[in-house]
């Protein structure tokens, strides 16, 4: 018998993350490392337990192995409960069909039996690719107090960016009267954060109806939310004013890491009142060798730093050899930057090796300004040979020697 829960969280973590290119070649987007010691999924999981939500379903699909191993029993987030806790929910074949998740709404639909176990009043739907700290209990209280059928978390974005998001138009009291999914000409800058609270009985009704529509794309933003709005259901916008970053692109992932080095950005990962928990490797402290220089950077445990590191984020077990330079970059777990190499404005993924005197990436001011500049990415396990030159904006997913792809 499962213990009744007021709210069950469903975390959508099955996306491919194609805009992260080589970084998600072998892992799901929520498993991408962030901030020196975390992975992206640490944020919604930590938000859940900090908000008092004890039951979380994690819906996986694309390249789930690393993510499944990382979540494990849920112990790092205090979600290893006997009658609640975290549950990994991959697609499955049932007696009446099933299979791959066809869209965000279909993913929840296929797991309605899991939700029914806990007989909740509310279902909280989350995305697994955002960096933020949020008290979901405040949003649920807002939902309850307004007698809403659905509440959508929103954040103000620049009007120039609004066409990238689902945009909500609201009455002064927050009641939603229009929802546009990625409009070409947005009418407001209130963007959906992909965080929803539903009354479970109402959501179940709309998921079932959506599944029966052969023309539906089975997506919340494109189908379920517009259907609820058109039917006159009460839908409210919950305004969020803290730090929030959609890390679905190379540039946004790089920016989110660099934000941690900017004291003006309100993203405190050391706040004892709202911890972000992770499955740490438990390595010894990093070692800084004689002659090494480190400025304005985050250096995680287990590293060996003998070269120069400036305005960068280094994950556990990273080595930067003597004479090497790492600037404005993200170096993920176990990567090695050999003697004399130069890495700048780059993301070097797990266990990659940058050979001696190689040059990876470039500074914007050193480029022609014709749009050729961008963050360089080296995929996990790739070896960049000695003296190789990897240009800005390149996505390298195979070994290189002397600048030629092997």
């Amino acid at each position: 018998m499962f213990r009744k829960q007021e709210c069950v969280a469903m975390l959508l973590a099955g996306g491919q993350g194609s805009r992260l290119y080589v970084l998600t070649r072998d892992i799901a987007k929520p498993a991408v490392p962030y901030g020196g010691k975390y992975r992206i999924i640490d944020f919604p999981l930590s938000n859940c337990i900090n908000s008092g939500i004890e039951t979380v379903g994690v819906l996986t699909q694309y390249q789930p192995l690393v993510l499944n191993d990382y979540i494990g029993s849920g112990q790092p987030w205090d979600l290893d409960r006997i009658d609640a806790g975290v549950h990994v929910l991959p697609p499955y074949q049932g007696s009446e069909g099933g299979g791959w998740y066809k869209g965000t709404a279909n993913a929840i639909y296929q797991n309605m039996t899991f939700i029914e176990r806990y007989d909740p009043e509310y279902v909280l739907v989350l995305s697994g690719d955002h960096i933020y700290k949020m008290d979901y209990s405040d949003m649920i209280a807002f939902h309850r107090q307004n007698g809403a059928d659905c509440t959508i978390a929103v954040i103000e974005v620049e009007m120039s960016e609004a066409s990238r998001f689902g945009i909500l138009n609201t009455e002064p009291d927050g009641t939603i009267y229009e929802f546009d999914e990625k409009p070409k000409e947005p009418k407001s800058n209130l963007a959906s954060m992909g965080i929803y609270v539903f009354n479970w009985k109402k959501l179940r009704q709309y998921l079932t109806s959506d599944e029966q529509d052969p023309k539906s794309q089975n997506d919340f933003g494109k189908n379920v939310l517009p259907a609820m709005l058109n039917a006159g259901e009460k839908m409210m916008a919950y305004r969020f004013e803290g730090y929030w970053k959609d890390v679905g692109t190379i540039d946004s992932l790089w920016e989110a890491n660099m934000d941690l080095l900017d004291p003006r950005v309100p993203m405190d990962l050391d706040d004892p009142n709202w911890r972000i928990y992770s499955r740490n490797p438990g390595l010894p402290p990093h070692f800084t060798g004689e002659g090494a220089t480190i400025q304005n950077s985050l250096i995680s445990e287990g590293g060996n730093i003998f070269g120069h590191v400036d305005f960068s984020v280094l994950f556990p077990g990273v080595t930067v050899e003597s004479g090497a330079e790492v600037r404005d970059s993200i170096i993920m777990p176990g990567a090695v930057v050999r003697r004399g190499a130069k890495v700048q404005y780059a993301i070097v993924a797990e266990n990659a090796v940058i050979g001696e005197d190689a040059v990876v990436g470039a500074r914007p001011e050193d480029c022609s300004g014709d749009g050729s500049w961008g963050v360089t990415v080296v995929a996990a396990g790739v070896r960049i040979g000695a003296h190789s030159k990897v240009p800005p904006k390149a996505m390298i997913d195979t070994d290189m020697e002397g600048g030629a792809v092997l």
Side-chain angles (χ1 to χ4, degrees):
M1 187 68 181
F2 295 91
R3 179 160 50 93
K4 178 179 173 60
Q5 301 284 322
E6 179 189 39
C7 181
V8 169
M10 300 295 280
L11 175 52
L12 298 166
Q16 180 178 353
S18 58
R19 292 180 298 165
L20 289 177
Y21 302 103
V22 299
L23 291 180
T24 51
R25 178 185 61 181
D26 299 315
I27 61 173
K29 180 163 54 172
V32 169
Y34 167 80
K37 62 181 290 187
Y38 306 99
R39 294 182 187 263
I40 296 170
I41 199 170
D42 287 328
F43 288 82
L45 288 178
S46 297
N47 287 339
C48 282
I49 198 63
N50 287 331
S51 301
I53 296 173
E54 300 179 341
T55 302
V56 184
V58 180
L59 284 69
T60 62
Q61 181 158 280
Y62 172 81
Q63 293 284 16
L65 181 60
V66 172
L67 185 60
N68 293 352
D69 285 347
Y70 186 74
I71 295 172
S73 67
Q75 186 274 333
W77 306 273
D78 193 26
L79 287 169
D80 53 339
R81 313 291 178 89
I82 294 176
D83 53 358
V86 66
H87 301 261
V88 175
L89 303 172
Y92 64 91
Q93 188 78 35
S95 60
E96 297 182 1
W100 293 115
Y101 297 143
K102 296 180 289 184
T104 54
N106 175 258
I108 305 297
Y109 172 83
Q110 289 200 40
N111 288 282
M112 290 199 303
T113 302
F114 169 79
I115 299 172
E116 291 283 13
R117 284 177 167 183
Y118 302 97
D119 188 26
E121 291 291 324
Y122 311 110
V123 170
L124 174 68
V125 177
L126 305 170
S127 297
D129 54 0
H130 301 150
I131 303 295
Y132 66 109
K133 295 196 289 187
M134 180 179 181
D135 191 339
Y136 301 137
S137 66
D138 288 345
M139 183 178 175
I140 294 168
F142 174 88
H143 175 87
R144 184 190 306 112
Q145 291 162 8
N146 284 278
D149 298 300
C150 170
T151 297
I152 303 174
V154 297
I155 192 167
E156 292 188 9
V157 298
E158 297 291 335
M159 282 300 294
S160 60
E161 296 288 313
S163 60
R164 295 178 46 229
F165 299 93
I167 296 298
L168 286 73
N169 300 304
T170 67
E171 304 289 357
D173 67 351
T175 301
I176 300 168
Y177 66 84
E178 189 174 21
F179 183 90
D180 289 333
E181 181 69 9
K182 299 181 180 179
K184 293 182 179 179
E185 297 182 3
K187 299 176 183 178
S188 83
N189 66 337
L190 278 184
S192 169
M193 299 169 64
I195 301 170
Y196 316 120
V197 176
F198 294 95
N199 293 344
W200 167 231
K201 292 181 180 178
K202 191 72 71 170
L203 176 60
R204 181 175 55 195
Q205 171 190 332
Y206 278 90
L207 288 177
T208 302
S209 176
D210 180 72
E211 188 66 22
Q212 293 170 349
D213 180 1
K215 297 181 180 179
S216 176
Q217 295 172 276
N218 305 121
D219 182 83
F220 277 106
K222 296 175 182 177
N223 306 111
V224 174
L225 297 179
M228 294 185 73
L229 195 62
N230 292 337
E233 307 291 359
K234 187 169 185 181
M235 303 178 71
M236 298 294 295
Y238 176 78
R239 287 178 177 258
F240 178 74
E241 297 180 350
Y243 180 91
W244 178 80
K245 195 81 167 182
D246 181 340
V247 288
T249 67
I250 291 295
D251 288 347
S252 62
L253 177 63
W254 181 84
E255 290 167 2
N257 278 271
M258 295 299 106
D259 282 346
L260 296 175
L261 306 177
D262 187 342
R264 297 168 297 179
V265 175
M267 186 57 173
D268 182 10
L269 295 179
D270 295 322
D271 182 358
N273 298 315
W274 201 271
R275 288 289 187 197
I276 302 299
Y277 302 98
S278 67
R279 187 178 293 280
N280 292 322
L283 297 174
H286 76 269
F287 176 78
T288 303
E290 184 178 355
T293 58
I294 301 173
Q295 300 182 54
N296 196 32
S297 297
L298 288 176
I299 312 294
S300 294
E301 63 269 28
N304 292 282
I305 313 302
F306 299 91
H308 179 80
V309 179
D310 183 22
F311 207 75
S312 295
V313 176
L314 274 58
F315 283 75
V318 166
T319 296
V320 179
E321 293 186 350
S322 177
E325 296 182 15
V326 176
R327 301 176 185 271
D328 303 281
S329 295
I330 303 162
I331 313 296
M332 293 184 175
V336 176
V337 182
R338 295 292 187 199
R339 185 183 304 271
K342 180 179 291 187
V343 178
Q344 47 196 348
Y345 287 94
I347 300 175
V348 178
E350 299 177 64
N351 301 312
V353 177
I354 310 302
E356 291 189 9
D357 298 312
V359 177
V360 176
R363 305 190 67 78
E365 59 268 25
D366 295 334
C367 296
S368 60
D370 59 358
S372 61
W373 183 84
V375 175
T376 302
V377 181
V378 178
V382 167
R383 302 180 68 87
I384 304 298
H387 309 288
S388 295
K389 291 188 177 182
V390 182
K393 215 173 183 176
M395 301 283 165
I396 307 301
D397 62 355
T398 57
D399 292 349
M400 290 184 64
E401 192 68 43
V405 178
L406 295 178

